Amino acid sequence: EIVMTQSPVTLSVSPGERATLSCRASQSLSSNLAWYQQKPGQAPSLLIHDASTRATGIPARFSGSGSGTEFTLTISSLQSEDFAVYYCQQYNNWPRTFGQGTKVEIK
Amino acid sequence: EVQLVESGGGLVLPGGSLRLSCAASGFTFSSYEMNWVRQAPGKGLEWISYISRYGSTIYYADSVRGRFTISRDNAENSLYLQMNSLGAEDTAIYYCARDSLSWELDYWGQGTLVTVSS
């Protein structure tokens, strides 16, 4: 099973600042990685797939990068609606596995 | 508009069974693979099962293999999860999620809560 490790666990950021979230895989994924956003009381929603492709309707302030085992989600200028938990997930191998999540909170 | 609506959750005794359903609309259900993902209270996401478009390929997480059965009815645009031998560790919100054509989970339902407790 591929283990996904996200860091940090919690990220405190002021509105308008940049946030950088990391995701590391225990083995190579090529680019088969997605990022999801989950707000309190809501289902997760897709942000990024194939490591760097924004899903439909996702603002350009969200960007993904990386390949192999190291991946990054960057939010260039945090808006109030971006404070949430973010998960990475690999779909290169079965079972599909998620990271434990990074909570982005208001500083 | 793509919609996935789960139902069937509730309170069940340890050792009991429950069947979850996911009603799909707004897309050609038979053209997409489907998944179940769960989230224990206050915890992260756990993928638990996948089914291919016509049910010929199925995968389970180790945590549920042998106890849970995924199935689908393309004529009814519905996905199912039969859960047996439930334990406290199965308490979670259960989401159905659609596989996009490039394998990420592009649409999710709102979830249904399963509580296993005596």
Side-chain angles (χ1 to χ4, degrees):
Chain A
E1 171 176 316
I2 297 177
V3 177
M4 306 298 294
T5 304
Q6 292 185 242
S7 60
V9 173
T10 304
L11 185 61
S12 299
V13 185
S14 299
E17 288 188 341
R18 181 186 193 92
T20 303
L21 289 67
S22 295
C23 177
R24 175 177 293 178
S26 61
Q27 57 184 272
S28 180
L29 307 179
S30 182
S31 295
N32 295 316
L33 181 110
W35 290 95
Y36 302 89
Q37 178 192 67
Q38 187 177 33
K39 297 179 181 179
Q42 296 185 16
S45 59
L46 178 66
L47 289 175
I48 301 283
H49 63 92
D50 297 335
S52 60
T53 304
R54 279 189 300 277
T56 303
I58 300 303
R61 65 180 181 272
F62 292 92
S63 63
S65 63
S67 66
T69 62
E70 301 283 343
F71 300 88
T72 300
L73 174 69
T74 301
I75 312 171
S76 60
S77 176
L78 271 157
Q79 307 298 303
S80 57
E81 61 267 28
D82 301 335
F83 292 96
V85 179
Y86 293 84
Y87 295 93
C88 61
Q89 182 231 345
Q90 66 84 16
Y91 45 93
N92 193 66
N93 288 67
W94 298 98
R96 292 174 175 174
T97 45
F98 290 89
Q100 81 280 15
T102 290
K103 181 179 182 179
V104 177
E105 64 177 25
I106 300 174
K107 187 174 181 180
Chain B
E1 178 193 4
V2 172
Q3 284 199 327
L4 298 169
V5 179
E6 301 92 338
S7 60
L11 177 63
V12 60
L13 293 171
S17 299
L18 211 54
R19 189 194 197 207
L20 306 183
S21 300
C22 171
S25 61
F27 66 101
T28 303
F29 183 68
S30 59
S31 296
Y32 290 85
E33 291 90 358
M34 298 294 296
N35 298 265
W36 288 99
V37 177
R38 70 182 179 183
Q39 186 170 36
K43 302 297 184 183
L45 301 170
E46 180 188 16
W47 171 85
I48 57 171
S49 190
Y50 158 95
I51 186 167
S52 60
R53 289 178 295 164
Y54 294 98
S56 58
T57 300
I58 287 173
Y59 297 110
Y60 296 103
D62 287 347
S63 58
V64 305
R65 185 177 295 112
R67 301 187 300 122
F68 289 12
T69 302
I70 190 172
S71 62
R72 65 189 296 163
D73 184 336
N74 288 342
E76 294 294 327
N77 294 328
S78 292
L79 175 72
Y80 304 102
L81 187 68
Q82 176 66 43
M83 305 186 296
N84 298 330
S85 303
L86 286 162
E89 69 277 10
D90 298 312
T91 293
I93 296 172
Y94 286 73
Y95 298 101
C96 64
R98 190 182 84 166
D99 250 30
S100 79
L101 299 180
S102 52
W103 294 88
E104 68 278 4
L105 303 176
D106 62 350
Y107 286 94
W108 298 61
Q110 85 290 346
T112 187
L113 177 62
V114 173
T115 303
V116 184
S117 176
S118 55

